[in-house]
Amino acid sequence: HRIAHFGDAYNFLRSGSCLLQAVYSSGNLFEFLEKIYHAAPAQAQILQSMTSMNLSDRLLIDGPVFPAYLAFVQFLSGVDAFKPVYEAHTVQICLCNALLDSASCLLLYFCGRLAFNRQVAFLGAMLFAAYPAAIINTQHCYSEPFSYFLLNLWTLLSLSVLLRHKHRQPALLAIYAGIGIVSGLLMLSKPAFIILPPLVAGLLLAVSALRLVIKESDKGSLAFSSIFSFLFSYLGKGLAVVMGLALVLTPWAFFNKAASGN
C-alpha cells in the first residue's frame, strides 16, 4: 500500500501534521490558539496562500474539519508531527481511511433502512462496499471520503427524526442538537455542502406549513391557535439545531474574522 500524497492530499496531510505539532507543543488551550492563529498580511495574494505551509493559511484554505481528522489519524498512526515521513506509516493511514469508509457503508445501510426497507438498504451498502473508486480512495488523503461519511451521518440523523416518531423528548432534542453539530462539520468540510442544511431546513418548514394550510382549509379557516401550535412545535427543535450549529461555526467565524478580516 502507498499513500499518494501529492497535490491537495499532501497539503491536507501537512495541515494535519501542523495541527498535531501545535497540540504537542502547547501547554494549554491559550498556547494552542496562539500557535494556530497568525494574522495574514493584508497584501497577501491568494496564490501565495495556496502554497503556504503556514498553519493559519492552510486552515483558511482547507477548513478546520478534515485537517483535524488527519491530525487524529496521524496521532493514531504514530507519525512524527515535527518531522513527518508519511511513507513509513502508509499501512496505518490506509487502515484508518478504510475503517472510516466501512463506517460509511454501515451508515448508508441504516439510511436505506429508514427511508426504504432492509433489501434496498443491504443492496445499497453492498454496492458501495464494492465501489472501486471508494476502495482506491482509501489509499489517498483527499477530503471526499471524509465528507461523504459526514453526509451519511447527517442524513441518518435527519431521517431518524423525520421518519421515526418514537423518540422521547430529551432524546429527540439531543438528536436535533446532533444534527446541528454535524451540519456545521459538513458545511466546513466541503464548500458544496454549505447550502445543503439551510436548504433542507427551509424545504421542510415550507412543506410542513403547506400541509397545515391544506389541513386547516378543510375546516374553513386557518385558526390562530393552529399557527401558534405549529410554530411552538418547532421552537425547541430549532433552538437545539441552532445551538449545535453555533457550537461548530462560531469559533470558526471568529478565527476567520481574525485571520482574514471576513
Side-chain angles (χ1 to χ4, degrees), residues 64-166:
V65 179
F66 185 55
Y69 161 74
L70 285 183
F72 181 64
V73 167
Q74 292 178 51
F75 167 75
L76 293 178
S77 303
V79 175
D80 184 352
F82 297 91
K83 295 180 180 179
V85 181
Y86 305 116
E87 294 88 343
H89 303 274
T90 53
V91 175
Q92 295 94 322
I93 297 175
C94 284
L95 180 60
C96 291
N97 289 343
L99 288 172
L100 184 77
D101 225 52
S102 301
S104 294
C105 296
L106 291 174
L107 292 173
L108 188 63
Y109 170 81
F110 289 116
C111 287
R113 286 281 288 116
L114 288 171
F116 302 103
N117 55 50
R118 185 176 287 110
Q119 289 77 16
V120 172
F122 182 77
L123 179 61
M126 289 303 296
L127 285 173
F128 190 70
Y131 182 47
I135 296 171
I136 291 171
N137 272 340
T138 61
Q139 299 185 50
H140 300 264
C141 286
Y142 294 124
S143 59
E144 283 77 10
F146 181 77
S147 297
Y148 62 63
F149 165 78
L150 289 177
L151 180 62
N152 278 322
L153 180 58
W154 179 82
T155 304
L156 177 62
L157 292 173
S158 301
L159 291 177
S160 176
V161 294
L162 291 172
L163 303 178
R164 293 292 183 268
H165 306 290
K166 295 182 180 180

Side-chain angles (χ1 to χ4, degrees), residues 10-11 14-15 18 49-58:
Y10 175 76
N11 290 331
R14 285 293 297 154
S15 298
C18 290
S49 298
M50 289 292 287
T51 57
S52 171
M53 281 296 108
N54 179 285
L55 183 54
S56 294
D57 290 338
R58 297 284 1 132

